[in-house]
Amino acid sequence: MLQHFSANIDLVNHSSYRQLKLHKSNAHCDDEKIVIRPSLATLIGPVVQGCVTAIAVLVLVLGLDTHPLWLLGILLIVIIIFGPTTILSLVYAIAGTNFLMEKDKSTCRVQQRYFGLGIGTQEMIPFDRIDRFQIEGDYLTEHASGDLRDVVSWQIILIKDNQKQFEIASLSSPRSLAPGTLKTANSLGILLANMSHSNLVEGDIPHWAMDN
C-alpha cells in the first residue's frame, strides 16, 4: 500500500539531526539533506590491501637480484592490481558518498558503484521523477532446504517514474533482531519520502511470521 507523508508532519524526529547505522554505511539526516556515507568499517579492506601492496613492493625492491623471475612477476602483478584499487577504496571510504538528497535543490544523487570501489556514474534524480521509496526484505525467504534465513536483510529502494530502481541502502541482522533493523529501514524511508514529498511502501513482518 502506498503511503504519502507530508513535509508538515514531524515524523521520527525529522526536525533534528539523526544518524542511522546501516550495512557498511551511515545515514546522516537533518532538515536540509540526507547523506549516506561509508562507515569506518569499510577502511579495513583497503588498509589490508595497502599493507599487502607495501610488503610486495618491499620484497620486489630488495629481491630484484636474488628472487627468481617467476616470483618477481607475481609480486609485480599483485602491485599492479592492489595498488590502484587500494587508493580508490581508501578515497571512497574516507570521502565517498553513496547517496545525497538535498531539499533546497529538490534533487538526489545516487552513486552507481562498480566492484565496490566507489567508482562509477552518478544518477541525478529530481524529486518530481521519484515514483516512490520501497522497503524490501527477505524475512520470509527460504533456503533450498525449506528453512528460513538466519540472517535477514532489508533494502531501501528508490523507484523512478520509469520504474528504474536504485538500491540506496541496506541493513542486515540475525533473524531475532530483524524487527529492529526493519524499524531503522522504515525510519530512513519515512525521512526520504518526507523530504522529497514522495510515496513510501514500508516493509512489514506479518504477525503470523514472527518467531516465538
Side-chain angles (χ1 to χ4, degrees):
M1 179 179 179
L2 293 180
Q3 302 180 43
H4 182 76
F5 296 99
S6 168
N8 295 323
I9 300 176
D10 184 14
L11 294 169
V12 290
N13 297 326
H14 188 258
S15 61
S16 60
Y17 171 81
R18 294 192 64 187
Q19 178 175 324
L20 301 175
K21 294 185 180 298
L22 310 171
H23 179 62
K24 294 184 178 180
S25 61
N26 294 317
H28 305 269
C29 314
D30 59 34
D31 290 339
E32 300 301 322
K33 63 183 178 180
I34 297 174
V35 186
I36 299 177
R37 294 192 177 99
S39 64
L40 292 178
T42 57
L43 281 170
I44 297 175
V47 169
V48 172
Q49 286 185 350
C51 292
V52 171
T53 304
I55 293 172
V57 170
L58 183 62
V59 173
L60 179 65
V61 171
L62 296 179
L64 279 175
D65 298 329
T66 57
H67 292 324
L69 187 60
W70 64 267
L71 179 57
L72 297 177
I74 292 176
L75 292 172
L76 185 60
I77 292 174
V78 169
I79 295 169
I80 291 174
I81 294 176
F82 279 8
T85 58
T86 297
I87 295 173
L88 290 171
S89 298
L90 280 173
V91 171
Y92 165 68
I94 295 172
T97 299
N98 297 341
F99 176 85
L100 172 63
M101 175 179 283
E102 297 177 286
K103 183 178 180 180
D104 60 340
K105 296 180 180 179
S106 296
T107 61
C108 56
R109 284 181 288 170
V110 182
Q111 178 75 34
Q112 297 177 286
R113 296 182 289 122
Y114 301 125
F115 309 114
L117 300 178
I119 58 176
T121 60
Q122 281 193 345
E123 179 100 8
M124 180 78 74
I125 306 173
F127 286 174
D128 58 8
R129 292 293 310 277
I130 300 174
D131 181 69
R132 66 187 183 276
F133 289 92
Q134 188 163 311
I135 313 301
E136 299 179 354
D138 56 7
Y139 189 86
L140 299 178
T141 303
E142 298 179 347
H143 292 292
S145 62
D147 295 327
L148 294 171
R149 295 177 180 271
D150 295 324
V151 177
V152 176
S153 62
W154 304 100
Q155 295 80 39
I156 297 93
I157 310 294
L158 184 157
I159 303 177
K160 291 179 62 177
D161 53 4
N162 61 3
Q163 299 308 303
K164 185 176 181 180
Q165 299 188 11
F166 301 89
E167 181 182 320
I168 61 175
S170 64
L171 299 93
S172 298
S173 71
R175 188 172 187 81
S176 60
L177 301 178
T181 51
L182 174 58
K183 182 178 179 181
T184 300
N186 282 334
S187 295
L188 179 56
I190 290 172
L191 291 171
L192 292 166
N194 201 21
M195 182 173 290
S196 60
H197 304 278
S198 303
N199 294 316
L200 169 67
V201 179
E202 293 188 61
D204 182 45
I205 300 176
H207 290 294
W208 58 264
M210 295 290 291
D211 293 332
N212 295 325

